[in-house]
Amino acid sequence: QVQLVESGGGSVLAGESLKLSCSASRDMFEICGMAWYRQGAGQARQLISTMSNDGTTWYRDAVKGRFTISQAKDKNTLNLQMDTLKPDDAAEYSCSYCTRPGVCQSQCHYWGQGTQVTVS
């Protein structure tokens, strides 16, 4: 399954937590790795966390220490645990096989439809 389907978004108060999930393809993960992006209103999409196919993780400074990327054992689901949410975290979150914006392989160029996160 190349398609990516996110779930878990919602509306929370500042300081609360949410866990996002992305239904993905184990085969694609092993080729490309995976990533979470977000796009706030009127803002460009930004990369916030990645997991390479060897398990190495990376986080944008703005979410480091608060967000945790993980993968289910079957490698068909990518998760993003978001703790201590702030109003600035409000955005549409999407997952992708593209871990390096602008330079990812064409075969990795897939994004999900996104899930909305609202923080008030």
Side-chain angles (χ1 to χ4, degrees), residues 29-41:
F29 171 79
E30 292 182 345
I31 295 169
C32 306
M34 288 194 68
W36 283 99
Y37 292 75
R38 70 184 181 189
Q39 185 169 18

Side-chain angles (χ1 to χ4, degrees), residues 33 43 55 83 95 101 116-117:
Q43 299 178 7
D83 297 322
C95 58
Q116 189 68 38
V117 172

Side-chain angles (χ1 to χ4, degrees), residues 15-60:
E16 294 185 339
S17 299
L18 273 177
K19 183 177 180 179
L20 306 182
S21 294
C22 173
S23 176
S25 159
R26 173 179 182 159
D27 290 342
M28 287 295 291
F29 171 79
E30 292 182 345
I31 295 169
C32 306
M34 288 194 68
W36 283 99
Y37 292 75
R38 70 184 181 189
Q39 185 169 18
Q43 299 178 7
R45 183 169 59 192
Q46 62 178 207
L47 180 67
I48 58 169
S49 184
T50 64
M51 177 176 281
S52 64
N53 51 15
D54 67 0
T56 303
T57 59
W58 170 88
Y59 298 93
R60 192 176 195 86

Side-chain angles (χ1 to χ4, degrees), residues 51-91:
M51 177 176 281
S52 64
N53 51 15
D54 67 0
T56 303
T57 59
W58 170 88
Y59 298 93
R60 192 176 195 86
D61 283 349
V63 306
K64 201 175 293 184
R66 300 187 298 120
F67 290 13
T68 304
I69 192 170
S70 65
Q71 192 179 41
K73 288 184 179 179
D74 62 5
K75 297 190 177 182
N76 287 329
T77 303
L78 182 75
N79 301 310
L80 185 69
Q81 177 67 41
M82 306 186 295
D83 297 322
T84 319
L85 282 161
K86 305 175 181 180
D88 284 350
D89 296 318

Side-chain angles (χ1 to χ4, degrees), residues 4-7 36-37 92-95 111-116:
L4 299 162
V5 181
E6 301 92 344
S7 61
W36 283 99
Y37 292 75
E92 182 173 82
Y93 286 72
S94 56
C95 58
W111 271 263
Q113 291 298 307
T115 186
Q116 189 68 38

